[in-house]
mmCIF file of all heavy atoms in Angstrom:
data_model
loop_
_atom_site.group_PDB
_atom_site.id
_atom_site.type_symbol
_atom_site.label_atom_id
_atom_site.label_comp_id
_atom_site.label_asym_id
_atom_site.label_seq_id
_atom_site.Cartn_x
_atom_site.Cartn_y
_atom_site.Cartn_z
ATOM 1 N N SER A 4 50.544 -19.248 47.925
ATOM 2 C CA SER A 4 50.296 -19.573 46.521
ATOM 3 C C SER A 4 48.931 -20.102 46.298
ATOM 4 O O SER A 4 48.574 -20.402 45.116
ATOM 5 C CB SER A 4 51.375 -20.585 46.068
ATOM 6 O OG SER A 4 51.274 -21.750 46.689
ATOM 7 N N TRP A 11 39.596 -17.601 50.221
ATOM 8 C CA TRP A 11 38.358 -17.004 50.716
ATOM 9 C C TRP A 11 37.484 -18.016 51.509
ATOM 10 O O TRP A 11 36.932 -17.669 52.456
ATOM 11 C CB TRP A 11 37.530 -16.552 49.380
ATOM 12 C CG TRP A 11 36.305 -15.761 49.733
ATOM 13 C CD1 TRP A 11 35.013 -16.278 49.762
ATOM 14 C CD2 TRP A 11 36.139 -14.429 50.126
ATOM 15 N NE1 TRP A 11 34.115 -15.411 50.063
ATOM 16 C CE2 TRP A 11 34.727 -14.174 50.252
ATOM 17 C CE3 TRP A 11 37.029 -13.372 50.165
ATOM 18 C CZ2 TRP A 11 34.241 -12.919 50.597
ATOM 19 C CZ3 TRP A 11 36.561 -12.151 50.514
ATOM 20 C CH2 TRP A 11 35.171 -11.911 50.750
ATOM 21 N N PHE A 22 42.972 -15.434 56.210
ATOM 22 C CA PHE A 22 42.535 -14.139 56.247
ATOM 23 C C PHE A 22 43.598 -13.140 56.017
ATOM 24 O O PHE A 22 43.556 -12.175 55.322
ATOM 25 C CB PHE A 22 41.735 -13.861 57.485
ATOM 26 C CG PHE A 22 41.030 -12.522 57.586
ATOM 27 C CD1 PHE A 22 39.875 -12.201 56.914
ATOM 28 C CD2 PHE A 22 41.591 -11.430 58.223
ATOM 29 C CE1 PHE A 22 39.166 -11.086 56.907
ATOM 30 C CE2 PHE A 22 40.996 -10.226 58.309
ATOM 31 C CZ PHE A 22 39.823 -10.011 57.605
ATOM 32 N N CYS A 41 39.470 8.585 46.216
ATOM 33 C CA CYS A 41 39.585 9.627 47.329
ATOM 34 C C CYS A 41 40.956 9.975 47.482
ATOM 35 O O CYS A 41 41.868 9.090 47.659
ATOM 36 C CB CYS A 41 38.970 8.915 48.668
ATOM 37 S SG CYS A 41 39.122 9.917 50.087
ATOM 38 N N LYS A 79 34.657 0.480 47.111
ATOM 39 C CA LYS A 79 34.038 1.536 46.452
ATOM 40 C C LYS A 79 32.852 2.005 47.356
ATOM 41 O O LYS A 79 32.636 3.209 47.448
ATOM 42 C CB LYS A 79 33.696 1.246 45.115
ATOM 43 C CG LYS A 79 33.063 2.350 44.375
ATOM 44 C CD LYS A 79 32.839 2.057 42.874
ATOM 45 C CE LYS A 79 31.799 0.967 42.740
ATOM 46 N NZ LYS A 79 31.269 0.743 41.343
ATOM 47 N N LEU A 82 33.842 3.915 50.438
ATOM 48 C CA LEU A 82 34.239 5.180 50.284
ATOM 49 C C LEU A 82 33.105 6.182 49.878
ATOM 50 O O LEU A 82 33.096 7.267 50.373
ATOM 51 C CB LEU A 82 35.355 5.228 49.238
ATOM 52 C CG LEU A 82 36.654 4.576 49.641
ATOM 53 C CD1 LEU A 82 37.597 4.473 48.423
ATOM 54 C CD2 LEU A 82 37.348 5.394 50.721
ATOM 55 N N ARG A 87 29.210 10.536 51.516
ATOM 56 C CA ARG A 87 27.902 10.977 51.863
ATOM 57 C C ARG A 87 27.843 11.412 53.296
ATOM 58 O O ARG A 87 27.244 12.467 53.612
ATOM 59 C CB ARG A 87 26.902 9.815 51.583
ATOM 60 C CG ARG A 87 26.597 9.617 50.134
ATOM 61 C CD ARG A 87 25.351 8.670 49.925
ATOM 62 N NE ARG A 87 25.552 7.424 50.572
ATOM 63 C CZ ARG A 87 26.103 6.335 50.001
ATOM 64 N NH1 ARG A 87 26.634 6.425 48.884
ATOM 65 N NH2 ARG A 87 26.027 5.261 50.717
ATOM 66 N N GLU A 99 19.543 11.092 57.558
ATOM 67 C CA GLU A 99 18.886 10.182 56.566
ATOM 68 C C GLU A 99 18.262 11.036 55.454
ATOM 69 O O GLU A 99 17.586 11.906 55.782
ATOM 70 C CB GLU A 99 17.791 9.319 57.344
ATOM 71 C CG GLU A 99 18.420 8.355 58.254
ATOM 72 C CD GLU A 99 17.504 7.064 58.366
ATOM 73 O OE1 GLU A 99 16.601 6.951 57.601
ATOM 74 O OE2 GLU A 99 17.743 6.454 59.424
ATOM 75 N N GLU A 107 8.245 15.404 38.676
ATOM 76 C CA GLU A 107 9.140 16.464 38.496
ATOM 77 C C GLU A 107 10.575 16.029 38.627
ATOM 78 O O GLU A 107 11.495 16.385 37.895
ATOM 79 C CB GLU A 107 8.812 17.575 39.319
ATOM 80 C CG GLU A 107 7.732 18.579 38.858
ATOM 81 C CD GLU A 107 7.580 19.769 39.869
ATOM 82 O OE1 GLU A 107 8.439 20.033 40.633
ATOM 83 O OE2 GLU A 107 6.462 20.254 39.764
ATOM 84 N N LEU A 109 11.749 13.006 38.399
ATOM 85 C CA LEU A 109 12.215 12.101 37.271
ATOM 86 C C LEU A 109 12.525 13.000 36.021
ATOM 87 O O LEU A 109 13.485 12.612 35.336
ATOM 88 C CB LEU A 109 11.179 11.046 37.047
ATOM 89 C CG LEU A 109 10.961 10.008 38.198
ATOM 90 C CD1 LEU A 109 9.761 9.108 37.876
ATOM 91 C CD2 LEU A 109 12.170 9.282 38.383
ATOM 92 N N GLU A 149 44.202 -8.628 25.741
ATOM 93 C CA GLU A 149 44.631 -9.576 24.770
ATOM 94 C C GLU A 149 43.673 -9.562 23.610
ATOM 95 O O GLU A 149 44.004 -9.613 22.363
ATOM 96 C CB GLU A 149 44.727 -11.035 25.289
ATOM 97 C CG GLU A 149 45.909 -11.208 26.324
ATOM 98 C CD GLU A 149 45.459 -10.645 27.778
ATOM 99 O OE1 GLU A 149 44.330 -10.281 28.062
ATOM 100 O OE2 GLU A 149 46.422 -10.620 28.584
ATOM 101 N N GLN A 168 46.291 6.801 26.833
ATOM 102 C CA GLN A 168 46.226 8.028 26.113
ATOM 103 C C GLN A 168 44.763 8.434 25.910
ATOM 104 O O GLN A 168 44.461 9.596 25.973
ATOM 105 C CB GLN A 168 47.106 8.001 24.955
ATOM 106 C CG GLN A 168 47.232 9.257 24.222
ATOM 107 C CD GLN A 168 47.797 10.292 25.073
ATOM 108 O OE1 GLN A 168 48.709 10.185 25.796
ATOM 109 N NE2 GLN A 168 47.237 11.543 25.056
ATOM 110 N N VAL A 181 32.747 20.780 30.347
ATOM 111 C CA VAL A 181 32.143 21.098 31.694
ATOM 112 C C VAL A 181 32.233 22.518 32.017
ATOM 113 O O VAL A 181 31.368 23.189 32.439
ATOM 114 C CB VAL A 181 32.634 20.235 32.831
ATOM 115 C CG1 VAL A 181 32.132 20.680 34.155
ATOM 116 C CG2 VAL A 181 32.224 18.805 32.614
#
Side-chain angles (χ1 to χ4, degrees):
S4 65
W11 185 264
F22 186 79
C41 176
K79 179 175 71 170
L82 290 171
R87 285 191 306 271
E99 290 206 20
E107 276 183 21
L109 291 175
E149 292 83 6
Q168 185 59 44
V181 169

